[in-house]
Amino acid sequence: MPPLARRDVRCLVRKPQVRKLGASARPSQQKQALDKILNLCWDVDADNLIAIGSAGAIPALVQLLGAGSKSDVQRNSTAALAKLAHHAANQVTIAAAGAIPPLVQLLGLDSTADVHVNAAATLATLADNAANAVTIAAAGAIPPLVQLLGPGFTADVQHTASAILARLAQNADSHDTIAAAGAIPPLVQLLGTGSTADVKRAAATVLWLLAKNADNQVTIAAAGAIPPLVQLLGLGSSADVQCVAAGALANLALNIDNAVTIAAVGAIPLLVQLLGPSCTAGMQLNAAAVLGSLAQNAYNQVTIAAAGAIPLLAQLVRPGSTADEGVQAMAAAVLAALRDGNA
């Protein structure tokens, strides 16, 4: 529907739609009010979203998330909140209205698939706010999110659950909790050929962040992550998937045993390809970081040189190079390691 004037939307929502969301309303009235609000915010028009939020609909919608509501009411209220959360001002209002704990509860196995999708989508958007991400983790979201990574859930649910975990994992304090909840094995499974590109990217992102922890580096490798991550470096993957997979391998390669495995499964030629001029700065930086760790081994130095890395690295550090400063520094470090090994 075309965006309405903000005043018109407030009128439509407030008179009498918000009142009809209350516990005293008849089920038919609640349904009518929910449908009206959902239709108004469906196109995610910024003016409509602000107007609906300022009309007081959000606290009423949050009240409908509880266990006393029927699944169709939970489905529609979470769908509306997922749309409303696309505006930053509403994210604050949704969190302040106490939505996060009941949304986390709706991630549980008792909820329907639609409710899983909508509740997770709302939390994923709310988690863009760092304070909300801390609240989401504190509300106990991590264990149910890990459950949603399993093979019994749709790709949409798996992707959204992985995306939320990725946002939570940006806080190092959550790394141990995510690992302890058993996230690593299902995340590794999601790297496989049966997953969509979006799911692979999100799962690899979580592993990349978790692998900043030395203990997790061991656990992730033991779960079999290295071969599928190396496969994701190939030309069959999108640039963003290649970048994230290289980032995960860069952290894993800080462990000496992992570095041996990464080289042994054929990563070096694929990493060298990611140094090329058509690759993004992120791809180049992460690939060079992995090669820098691998180049600490004399045998790998020979393999890296034979794969054609030296001209590409030299191109990145030549005078007048337009490569990102971080890429240049990392490329210079790899070249130094290769020179030292062949001195």
Side-chain angles (χ1 to χ4, degrees):
M1 62 178 291
L4 298 171
R6 192 174 300 182
R7 180 174 178 274
D8 294 336
V9 175
R10 283 200 297 266
C11 289
L12 282 170
V13 173
R14 185 178 289 141
K15 298 178 180 180
Q17 304 306 326
V18 171
R19 291 196 299 272
K20 288 182 179 179
L21 295 176
S24 61
R26 295 192 301 272
S28 60
Q29 290 178 315
Q30 279 189 340
K31 182 181 185 306
Q32 181 187 39
L34 270 174
D35 288 346
K36 175 69 72 176
I37 292 170
L38 193 53
N39 285 336
L40 288 172
C41 64
W42 191 256
D43 292 333
V44 201
D45 174 77
D47 285 340
N48 285 1
L49 297 183
I50 295 171
I52 294 167
S54 62
I58 288 173
L61 290 168
V62 171
Q63 292 298 313
L64 297 178
L65 301 178
S69 295
K70 293 183 178 179
S71 62
D72 59 335
V73 172
Q74 293 174 331
R75 179 192 65 223
N76 289 344
S77 56
T78 52
L81 288 169
K83 297 292 184 181
L84 291 168
H86 280 84
H87 197 283
N90 288 340
Q91 292 175 15
V92 175
T93 305
I94 291 169
I100 289 175
L103 285 169
V104 169
Q105 290 296 316
L106 291 176
L107 298 177
L109 298 180
D110 291 338
S111 296
T112 66
D114 287 340
V115 171
H116 282 149
V117 171
N118 295 338
T122 308
L123 289 169
T125 306
L126 293 178
D128 286 337
N129 177 294
N132 286 345
V134 172
T135 304
I136 290 167
I142 290 173
L145 287 170
V146 171
Q147 288 184 323
L148 297 181
L149 302 176
F153 296 94
T154 66
D156 282 345
V157 170
Q158 292 171 334
H159 171 250
T160 306
S162 300
I164 300 171
L165 287 171
R167 293 187 178 109
L168 301 185
Q170 290 176 12
N171 182 341
D173 292 340
S174 70
H175 291 180
D176 289 341
T177 306
I178 294 171
I184 290 172
L187 286 167
V188 172
Q189 290 298 312
L190 293 178
L191 301 176
T193 55
S195 297
T196 66
D198 284 343
V199 170
K200 291 176 183 177
R201 181 181 65 251
T205 300
V206 185
L207 293 171
W208 181 5
L209 294 166
L210 294 181
K212 293 180 178 181
N213 175 298
D215 290 337
N216 288 342
Q217 291 166 8
V218 175
T219 305
I220 291 167
I226 291 174
L229 284 170
V230 170
Q231 285 186 332
L232 293 179
L233 301 176
L235 296 177
S237 297
S238 63
D240 54 350
V241 171
Q242 290 173 320
C243 180
V244 171
L249 289 168
N251 283 342
L252 291 173
L254 297 173
N255 176 287
I256 295 175
D257 292 334
N258 289 348
V260 172
T261 304
I262 290 168
V265 297
I268 290 173
L270 297 173
L271 290 165
V272 170
Q273 287 181 344
L274 300 186
L275 299 174
S278 64
C279 296
T280 66
M283 295 162 69
Q284 293 170 334
L285 179 65
N286 292 341
V290 186
L291 291 171
S293 293
L294 300 188
Q296 305 307 308
N297 175 286
Y299 180 80
N300 288 342
Q301 292 167 5
V302 175
T303 307
I304 291 168
I310 292 176
L312 293 172
L313 291 165
Q315 185 72 11
L316 293 172
V317 300
R318 65 176 173 78
S321 171
T322 59
D324 178 87
E325 289 184 6
V327 172
Q328 292 187 46
M330 191 63 71
V334 180
L335 284 170
L338 294 175
R339 281 195 301 268
D340 292 343
N342 289 283

